[in-house]
């Protein structure tokens, strides 16, 4: 796969704006591991190899076990491997990412609100939206995963 273009070079102000949203999320008070797990799950749904590689590496650097990362896509069947906040965040990430299919039903909102305060849920939704944007940029312009470069 060959990169189509480098959007960071072509539209640096746009890339910087997305980076500003990323910075906001990282200082939002949400756990960095929780956010990275959500980023990984969104990237799985969107099939973004570049982002899958990056967020897996980031989670490993944050001390997450490979066994847990291997089960992110099957989190609902992974027992107590994921805590209540992680399960709620992953469920919310799935329904928001698949908004065209799900319409984000009331039951999903109610389940998320049972675990997250209003501000946390807004920040989590911003994080999900941001990762969907990053996935679309990386897929559209064929960003090469680091793992592919290292071969």
């Amino acid at each position: 796969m060959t990169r189509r273009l480098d959007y960071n070079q072509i539209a640096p102000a746009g890339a910087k704006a997305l980076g500003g949203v990323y910075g906001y999320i990282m200082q939002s008070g949400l756990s960095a591991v929780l956010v990275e797990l959500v980023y990984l799950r969104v990237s799985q749904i969107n099939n973004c190899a570049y982002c899958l590689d990056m967020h897996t590496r980031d989670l490993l650097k944050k001390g997450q076990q490979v066994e847990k990362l291997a089960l992110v896509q099957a989190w609902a069947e992974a027992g107590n491997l994921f805590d209540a906040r992680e399960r709620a965040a992953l469920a919310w990430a799935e329904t928001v990412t698949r908004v065209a299919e799900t319409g984000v039903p009331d039951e999903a909102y109610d389940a998320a609100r049972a675990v997250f305060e209003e501000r946390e849920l807004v920040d989590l939704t911003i994080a999900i939206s941001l990762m969907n944007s990053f996935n679309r940029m990386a897929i559209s312009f064929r960003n090469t995963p680091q793992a592919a470069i290292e071969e």
Side-chain angles (χ1 to χ4, degrees):
M1 179 174 64
T2 303
R3 177 188 260 183
R4 291 177 172 164
L5 58 81
D6 184 349
Y7 53 83
N8 291 304
Q9 294 289 351
I10 294 168
K16 184 177 179 181
L18 289 173
V21 176
Y22 176 81
Y24 169 80
I25 293 303
M26 296 319 291
Q27 63 79 43
S28 71
L30 292 171
S31 145
V33 168
L34 178 82
V35 170
E36 288 290 342
L37 286 169
V38 164
Y39 286 170
L40 182 60
R41 183 65 190 122
V42 170
S43 298
Q44 288 173 337
I45 293 166
N46 291 324
N47 202 33
C48 181
Y50 178 81
C51 296
L52 286 167
D53 180 60
M54 179 184 359
H55 298 296
T56 298
R57 290 170 186 270
D58 289 347
L59 283 159
L60 289 169
K61 287 177 193 168
K62 288 177 172 37
Q64 296 300 295
Q65 297 300 310
V66 70
E67 295 82 3
K68 183 173 184 174
L69 302 185
L71 292 173
V72 168
Q73 68 186 23
W75 63 267
E77 290 82 36
N80 292 329
L81 192 57
F82 297 91
D83 66 29
R85 284 177 67 83
E86 291 169 340
R87 288 192 304 272
L90 292 167
W92 186 247
E94 288 180 0
T95 196
V96 171
T97 296
R98 295 180 172 133
V99 65
E101 300 164 29
T102 69
V104 188
D106 290 340
E107 308 82 56
Y109 172 77
D110 293 341
R113 278 292 289 129
V115 176
F116 293 104
E117 299 295 324
E118 287 180 347
R119 176 66 181 265
E120 291 177 319
L121 190 55
V122 170
D123 289 344
L124 182 60
T125 307
I126 292 169
I128 293 162
S129 301
L130 176 65
M131 189 47 46
N132 275 286
S133 293
F134 276 135
N135 289 168
R136 281 149 179 76
M137 296 296 285
I139 293 166
S140 297
F141 300 117
R142 304 290 191 258
N143 282 10
T144 305
Q146 184 177 337
I149 295 169
E150 294 171 350
E151 289 181 337

